[in-house]
Amino acid sequence: MASIALVDDDRNILTSVSIALKSEGFTVRVYSDGETALKALAENPPDLAVLDIKMPRMDGMELLRRLRERTAVPVIFLTSKDDELDEALGLAMGADDYITKPFSQRLLIARIRAILRRTEARAEPEAPDEAQPAAEPIVRGRLSMDPARHRVSWNGQDVVLTVTEFLLLEVLAQRPGFVKTRDQLMDTAYQDDVYVDDRTIDSHIKRLRRKFRAVDPEFKAIETLYGVGYRFAEE
């Protein structure tokens, strides 16, 4: 049974999300400020932590920075809507994903499960005679993806992606030139029957392009086929 730490100064969020997670079988620990959470999480790390960014006394960024000095616990940030600076800083500091407020509890639970599955897969010991082959790296022109290490680079420069962004790019890059509809991309990124609309996928694609254009302003590898979906362009 995985343990989840919730750190937020909003009591309503702590209560409602805690109830939702417990109903899914998780063990939940709640903290209303970063200072209290730091000591507890450093001494007894959970399987995953959900941190609000804007908190008094110690904000989520500082909490993550100090946690990363002691533990590699996976972290999901809760951010203000469209706060790109928070998103970029959080991912650069080692957050695994982010969700903007207000958020769906079902979406949060789906993201938590996705990160835990990926974390467990990396940590799984393999017996020499029963070892499963590791996911093969994907190389498409200037794009390089290593699913086993969750690493992406473009033209030799690292690009930091969330779990959801990584999954979307991976499914597009696996078959360059082939179109993936929004429904197919939603099935890839959001498991456990979580409903999201088309605009959510469009927003992730927009962020993906923005991150790649930060290292290459001429990046055009993710193409839109209007009314159909998206594809990774063959070079």
Side-chain angles (χ1 to χ4, degrees), residues 27-235:
T27 299
V28 183
R29 297 149 56 186
V30 299
Y31 306 92
S32 58
D33 68 86
E35 287 186 356
T36 303
L38 176 62
K39 186 174 186 299
L41 302 188
E43 292 178 353
N44 182 21
D47 294 303
L48 182 143
V50 179
L51 312 180
D52 185 28
I53 287 185
K54 292 178 171 60
M55 295 184 292
R57 299 178 64 187
M58 181 186 294
D59 65 20
M61 293 290 189
E62 178 64 12
L63 176 55
L64 175 61
R65 185 187 71 79
R66 296 176 67 174
L67 278 175
R68 281 291 175 264
E69 295 173 352
R70 314 182 193 190
T71 176
V73 57
V75 166
I76 295 177
F77 264 141
L78 301 180
T79 75
S80 301
K81 186 175 182 180
D82 296 328
D83 197 332
E84 296 176 11
L85 179 61
D86 283 350
E87 170 196 336
L89 287 175
L91 294 175
M93 293 170 62
D96 296 86
D97 210 337
Y98 69 93
I99 292 180
T100 55
K101 295 180 178 180
F103 59 89
S104 157
Q105 291 182 2
R106 293 179 64 197
L107 175 58
L108 175 60
I109 290 169
R111 298 283 184 91
I112 288 172
R113 292 192 186 281
I115 292 173
L116 290 176
R117 280 194 295 267
R118 188 175 291 274
T119 303
E120 290 166 1
R122 291 175 187 167
E124 183 98 18
E126 294 182 340
D129 57 340
E130 298 179 0
Q132 296 295 322
E136 290 292 328
I138 298 171
V139 179
R140 301 287 184 262
R142 287 175 285 174
L143 174 70
S144 178
M145 301 186 71
D146 186 344
R149 295 176 175 82
H150 191 77
R151 295 191 63 181
V152 179
S153 66
W154 178 261
N155 207 23
Q157 297 185 68
D158 288 340
V159 181
V160 180
L161 302 182
T162 67
V163 169
T164 303
E165 291 163 351
F166 189 98
L167 291 173
L168 290 173
L169 180 61
E170 183 178 22
V171 74
L172 289 171
Q174 282 173 342
R175 301 190 71 191
F178 286 78
V179 180
K180 288 291 184 180
T181 67
R182 288 175 176 82
D183 285 343
Q184 290 172 322
L185 292 173
M186 283 188 279
D187 289 342
T188 296
Y190 297 96
Q191 301 181 20
D192 303 315
D193 299 321
V194 174
Y195 172 76
V196 295
D197 60 26
D198 290 355
R199 289 174 296 178
T200 302
I201 295 299
D202 293 341
S203 295
H204 283 301
I205 295 295
K206 181 179 178 181
R207 290 190 178 98
L208 269 171
R209 287 173 172 153
R210 185 167 61 235
K211 289 179 178 182
F212 278 93
R213 285 171 183 162
V215 301
D216 178 6
E218 300 301 317
F219 176 83
K220 297 178 182 177
I222 300 176
E223 297 182 336
T224 301
L225 277 78
Y226 292 99
V228 183
Y230 297 96
R231 71 182 173 194
F232 190 86
E234 295 179 286
E235 293 191 341

